[in-house]
Amino acid sequence: MIKIIVDRKEPDSHSIKNRQDFQKVLKMYEKQIRLFYNPWFYGAVGFSSLLLFLLNYVII
Amino acid sequence: MSTNALYHQSPVRLQEELSIIEKAKLNPAHFGPLYSRYHESIFRYIFRRVDDIEAAYDITSQVFVKAIGALPKFEYRGVPFSSWLFRIAKSELYQFFRDKQTNRTVSIDSVRVVQVMDELLEDHSDADRAKLLKILPLLREDQLQLIEMRFFEKRSFKEIGEIMDLTENNAKVKTFRALIKLKQLFNKK
């Protein structure tokens, strides 16, 4: 169910600005990139896919 | 209608923004000025649709992480960078609702409720306004988004179209249809 809130107090611009943290965003991005470029990530994905394939079509 | 300075940019500012984008495509560290410029408007867009303020800050960060990742694919073809960011914000919001299995929020100003009521009825009472709040969740999600952006956030049809991936004219027609649907629900209930 959608929640309707009337006259909700919005944070002011100053407090929103205080929460800006570009370095954190950049670190989150770099972490994501590291994961995708890590061969172990694809190894795990590949191994899981192969296992699923074997379970579905070969073993069962 | 008040103009959104971030949306309606001067040609000089637009050019400056496009040059920052090109630099940021090569090195994400150059994305900083775009983050500072759009953080507040993206946060407010998300905050109005999410109940929890901390979740709104987290989703906002995720929007910018996604934007940095997708930036090399961004090409300026007349659609402002802000609209491109709002599209990412919209998609991240719905991902959040799916992951957390939570419902979305509609934050409305009582002044804006009166403006919507003016579109529906010539004369309206407090009871009518309370009724409107009850029937709003009965709209389809896309119709609610249109009403929300047009009447509660005061966006132009052009901007709505760019965020919803519609032409300006289509956004106008669909918003008009959403208003008719709202009127029908209002008279039925």
Side-chain angles (χ1 to χ4, degrees):
Chain A
M1 189 63 189
I2 290 166
K3 189 175 173 185
I4 307 268
I5 309 178
V6 181
D7 292 335
R8 181 183 188 189
K9 198 176 178 309
E10 283 202 19
D12 57 75
S13 295
H14 184 69
S15 56
I16 298 172
K17 223 177 191 85
N18 279 344
R19 293 289 300 262
Q20 283 190 2
D21 188 351
F22 181 60
Q23 288 314 311
K24 182 185 150 197
V25 168
L26 216 48
K27 272 183 195 148
M28 283 165 74
Y29 166 73
E30 280 159 6
K31 202 172 152 190
Q32 219 170 60
I33 288 292
R34 272 203 300 274
L35 177 73
F36 290 134
Y37 281 97
N38 188 338
W40 285 104
F41 173 76
Y42 292 102
V45 171
F47 181 72
S48 311
S49 309
L50 185 68
L51 198 66
L52 277 173
F53 175 79
L54 288 173
L55 280 173
N56 272 326
Y57 297 102
V58 181
I59 297 172
I60 299 172
Chain B
M1 185 178 286
S2 61
T3 55
N4 176 355
L6 282 176
Y7 179 70
H8 302 280
Q9 297 195 71
S10 66
V12 176
R13 197 164 163 150
L14 182 67
Q15 211 45 55
E16 176 223 346
E17 186 168 278
L18 291 175
S19 93
I20 297 173
I21 291 168
E22 288 311 312
K23 278 185 203 160
K25 278 182 183 179
L26 302 172
N27 180 358
H30 288 122
F31 194 88
L34 300 170
Y35 173 80
S36 307
R37 186 176 292 174
Y38 293 109
H39 177 267
E40 183 174 344
S41 55
I42 294 294
F43 169 76
R44 288 195 188 280
Y45 173 85
I46 292 166
F47 175 78
R48 289 179 195 133
R49 290 158 175 83
V50 175
D51 199 6
D52 176 12
I53 185 167
E54 288 309 314
Y57 278 116
D58 289 346
I59 300 166
T60 307
S61 298
Q62 199 51 45
V63 168
F64 285 101
V65 171
K66 283 275 163 75
I68 294 172
L71 199 64
K73 284 183 241 157
F74 176 83
E75 274 180 52
Y76 181 71
R77 289 190 183 136
V79 175
F81 183 67
S82 63
S83 301
W84 184 74
L85 281 178
F86 279 115
R87 279 190 201 175
I88 297 176
K90 187 163 79 100
S91 127
E92 282 304 303
L93 257 177
Y94 287 98
Q95 187 63 51
F96 171 80
F97 296 141
R98 278 194 297 274
D99 291 349
K100 302 283 172 190
Q101 297 194 327
T102 185
N103 292 317
R104 65 112 116 201
T105 299
V106 179
S107 305
I108 315 174
D109 244 331
S110 38
V111 180
R112 307 270 201 243
V113 174
V114 174
Q115 286 169 357
V116 176
M117 282 310 302
D118 288 341
E119 297 280 339
L120 297 179
L121 297 172
E122 275 183 29
D123 291 316
H124 43 86
S125 62
D126 286 347
D128 289 330
R129 290 189 279 276
K131 192 174 162 185
L132 175 73
L133 301 183
K134 278 190 186 156
I135 60 162
L136 269 175
L138 302 177
L139 284 175
R140 273 198 339 250
E141 179 56 33
D142 59 326
Q143 293 173 325
L144 182 61
Q145 279 183 49
L146 289 163
I147 296 285
E148 197 174 20
M149 283 197 269
R150 178 66 185 167
F151 296 101
F152 303 150
E153 296 176 345
K154 292 282 161 197
R155 293 182 198 273
S156 66
F157 285 117
K158 192 169 186 291
E159 189 180 12
I160 294 172
E162 284 158 1
I163 296 170
M164 304 269 296
D165 206 8
L166 301 167
T167 62
E168 183 179 359
N169 207 34
N170 211 353
K172 211 179 276 184
V173 170
K174 286 193 172 205
T175 307
F176 181 67
R177 283 189 195 146
L179 211 53
I180 290 176
K181 181 72 188 166
L182 198 61
K183 212 178 263 187
Q184 285 169 349
L185 288 168
F186 193 86
N187 293 328
K188 204 157 70 174
K189 285 269 162 181

